[in-house]
Structure formats: structure tokens, C-alpha cells
Amino acid sequence: MTVSGTAAAKAAVKAPPGPKPSEARAPAFAESVFKGNVPKEYTLQRCYTPADVAKHSSSHDCWVSYFGNVYDLTPLLAEYDGPLAQPIIDAGGTDITHWFDENTRQPRTHVDPLTGLEEIYCPWGRYIHVPPQGPESNWASNFVTPWWDDRRYFIGSFAKRTRKVTMLNLLTKQKDTLEVPVEETIEEIRARYLQLNAHAESYTWKRLGVILDMRKTLEENGVKDETEEFEKLGIDPDDHIPVIHLYFNDDLTEA
């Protein structure tokens, strides 16, 4: 088959569906992994922003995103030493969708100019589960599923878009601005805000005097995202971030 024929064949292949939100799981480490290399447990979120992912960019705490989902590859790296882990570590905290073919969702390939054979395209260096060009005695092929197809690393969805919102605590007069996924409900935004105010659940959340429905998104609560409109008009959206007012309920929850 010609190169163009191969490309056409790939284009005809329908990519398998990605993981469902309900499939997200906390990372699980092999028993052989030294406990000191296991990072602190965290609460899973339905959606993650680019900033959320960017915080995890080391060999002991490595997240990546691809095809609209977020994966914690820390357990994978904990089991692999050596140069094949380095490209993944270097990409930690970023989106690596460009590593893969959009039709098959498998690693991109190219024809090696020296051998004339099709192989996985790795300009950043060969990485874990990518076979070598030729026979290698230390090549371990005893894995069942390559990491890019392994849903046990899936921890949630990558935000389709983000927006900013400011919380004004009317009791303390403190203002905090968060960048949140547009898909998040007010309840999920409150969960993020708990890191800044451990008593956030003891407040009633209002916008322009109207109590917000915690089960709905900002948009569904009538808080329109006007970022694009402001940018088209040459206005800095950061000068017009919507504000949510927090009213203390006098029933302080435990931190």
C-alpha cells in the first residue's frame, strides 16, 4: 500500500470513544512502588483547567491531557526507570493531543527515510511502550495495554473553555478570583473555593441579590460569559469579571 493509501485507510478508521466521566478513578500504584514516591491523595474533579494540569509536571507528580481528557501518569512513571520515561516527564503538565493521530487516537506515525518503514513519530524521543526500531534485548513487551489506551490513568475531563469569576465575602470583605471550567456547577466552583475559605459551605451564594442554584453552571444561573464580546471590542475582560456575593449564614461548618 502506498503512503497516501495508508493515510486514507487511517482516515477511514473510526476513533474509539473516550472514557466516560464515571470511569474516572483515583490513581493506583503497584505494590512494588516505594511508598515515599507515592504523592498525596487528592479529590477527583469532573473537569480540570489548563492551570490545574500545569501544576503537575514532575516525575513524581505527572498529569497530561489529550483528546479532551486528563490523565495522571504518575503511577506509570513510578514503575518505569530510564530514558523512555523522560519524554513523558518533559511533557508533564501540558496537552499532548498532537502526539496522536486524530482519527485512530494512536501515536502518530511516519515513514523513516532511512529504512522506508512506517514507525511511531517521536521527535521528542522514544517513550514508554513505543517499540524500538530494531531488536533490543531489554525491550519489555509484557504490558497488556499501552498507557495511552489505559483508562486506569483517567482522572477527569479537560475543560472545553474557562472563565473567571470573583467571590466577594461580605463578612470579611475578602475578594478572590478563580478561573473555572465553563462546565462546572456553582457547587463545583464552591469546592474549588474551599481551598481559600474552609467555611465556604456556611455562606449563601448570590448574584445581584438572587440566590444561585448550586446545581447549575454560571451560564445556567444567568451569569453570561462575555469574555469573547469584550475581546472583540478591545476591552480587557479582566476589568469586567462577574462577582458573586457570599452571605454568611451564622451556622459555621467545621473546617
Side-chain angles (χ1 to χ4, degrees):
M1 182 180 290
T2 64
V3 174
S4 59
T6 302
K10 286 183 178 180
V13 176
K14 185 178 180 180
K20 299 177 181 178
S22 59
E23 295 182 62
R25 295 289 183 273
F29 290 79
E31 293 184 2
S32 59
V33 175
F34 175 58
K35 299 305 180 185
N37 290 335
V38 177
K40 182 181 178 181
E41 293 184 4
Y42 56 87
T43 302
L44 293 178
Q45 298 174 193
R46 186 167 60 94
C47 295
Y48 298 93
T49 68
D52 291 332
V53 177
K55 296 174 184 177
H56 306 272
S57 58
S58 72
S59 60
H60 297 291
D61 183 14
C62 184
W63 294 13
V64 296
S65 62
Y66 50 95
F67 294 116
N69 293 308
V70 179
Y71 300 83
D72 185 346
L73 300 184
T74 312
L76 173 74
L77 296 175
E79 298 178 42
Y80 283 85
D81 288 325
L84 296 188
Q86 196 57 49
I88 296 175
I89 296 171
D90 292 342
T94 70
D95 185 86
I96 59 171
T97 301
H98 61 284
W99 285 24
F100 307 98
D101 182 284
E102 62 180 5
N103 296 307
T104 65
R105 298 200 173 186
Q106 293 301 302
R108 291 172 58 195
T109 60
H110 76 136
V111 175
D112 186 283
L114 298 178
T115 65
L117 299 176
E118 185 178 54
E119 62 180 28
I120 292 178
Y121 183 58
C122 302
W124 40 83
R126 183 172 149 239
Y127 49 88
I128 296 170
H129 294 165
V130 172
Q133 288 183 316
E136 284 188 10
S137 60
N138 61 350
W139 163 239
S141 58
N142 58 347
F143 57 88
V144 177
T145 305
W147 62 263
W148 52 85
D149 284 335
D150 199 332
R151 299 190 177 189
R152 64 186 171 130
Y153 301 122
F154 169 65
I155 59 172
S157 300
F158 192 61
K160 295 178 180 177
R161 198 174 74 254
T162 63
R163 62 179 299 183
K164 291 181 179 180
V165 60
T166 295
M167 272 62 70
L168 173 58
N169 186 327
L170 295 180
L171 178 66
T172 64
K173 307 306 179 184
Q174 180 177 336
K175 294 175 67 175
D176 296 286
T177 298
L178 297 179
E179 183 174 17
V180 301
V182 295
E183 304 98 315
E184 281 194 337
T185 64
I186 304 299
E187 190 171 43
E188 289 170 323
I189 293 173
R190 182 176 64 184
R192 288 177 177 272
Y193 181 63
L194 279 169
Q195 299 178 31
L196 301 173
N197 181 349
H199 302 290
E201 294 179 344
S202 294
Y203 291 76
T204 296
W205 291 44
K206 295 183 180 182
R207 166 69 174 168
L208 301 178
V210 178
I211 296 177
L212 298 177
D213 187 332
M214 305 300 283
R215 299 165 298 177
K216 295 182 178 181
T217 66
L218 287 166
E219 193 83 24
E220 290 169 342
N221 271 287
V223 187
K224 185 180 178 182
D225 182 9
E226 299 178 305
T227 301
E228 292 185 2
E229 287 83 349
F230 285 132
E231 290 177 343
K232 289 178 181 178
L233 295 172
I235 300 174
D236 187 352
D238 286 351
D239 292 335
H240 300 275
I241 298 173
V243 178
I244 293 177
H245 295 98
L246 308 186
Y247 293 79
F248 184 55
N249 295 329
D250 291 329
D251 62 343
L252 199 62
T253 54
E254 293 185 10

